[in-house]
Amino acid sequence: KKKKLISRKEVTSCKDFLSMRIVFMGTPEFSVPTLEALIASEHEVVAVVTQPDKKSGRGQKLTAPPVKQCAIDHGIPVLQPEKMKDPQFIDELRNFKADIQVVVAFRMLPE
C-alpha cells in the first residue's frame, strides 16, 4: 500500500507542518523552564499533568506545584490525577489528542 505524500500546495508553511500538540508532564521548579520553552515555541501545549497540590510549611497550607502555576499563568488546562492508571484520567488525557508527551521530573507514567 502506497503512503500518501503531502504536496507543497497542501503545506502552507514549515511552521504549520512542524507544529505539534504537546502534553507536558512535570512537577518541580526544575521542569518549569522546559515548559516555558515549549510554550514559547511553535508547538501547542494542550495540557499539563502534574502531581496534586500538597500541604507544606508550618500552616500546612495546600501548595500548587510550580508547573501548575506556570500552566495557569498561560491559560493551559491542568490535570492532577491521584492515580496515573485511573481510567477517567487516561480518557481525559486521550481527549487532548496530543502528538507527543514531554516528561521532565515526573513520577510514574500512564500506560
Side-chain angles (χ1 to χ4, degrees):
K1 197 173 189 182
K2 288 186 179 181
K3 291 183 180 180
K4 183 183 179 216
L5 298 177
I6 299 172
S7 72
R8 288 185 183 184
K9 291 178 184 176
E10 292 176 294
V11 178
T12 56
S13 74
C14 288
K15 184 177 176 181
D16 291 340
F17 185 65
L18 297 175
S19 183
M20 291 185 286
R21 294 174 56 83
I22 298 172
V23 168
F24 182 84
M25 302 177 89
T27 299
E29 188 69 39
F30 171 81
S31 55
V32 171
T34 304
L35 175 57
E36 288 177 337
L38 290 170
I39 291 167
S41 75
E42 67 273 8
H43 305 295
E44 180 185 5
V45 179
V46 295
V48 166
V49 180
T50 189
Q51 291 185 7
D53 298 356
K54 293 191 176 181
K55 293 180 180 180
S56 66
R58 285 186 179 217
Q60 291 293 291
K61 292 182 180 179
L62 274 182
T63 304
V67 166
K68 177 182 179 179
Q69 192 56 56
C70 179
I72 289 169
D73 291 347
H74 290 280
I76 299 169
V78 177
L79 302 175
Q80 293 182 280
E82 290 289 331
K83 296 182 180 180
M84 297 301 291
K85 294 183 179 186
D86 178 4
Q88 183 179 352
F89 162 68
I90 293 172
D91 285 343
E92 279 184 89
L93 195 57
R94 284 189 183 128
N95 286 336
F96 284 105
K97 298 184 184 341
D99 297 308
I100 64 169
Q101 293 176 358
V102 175
V103 181
V104 178
F106 195 73
R107 60 183 185 181
M108 188 178 117
L109 302 175
E111 292 181 14

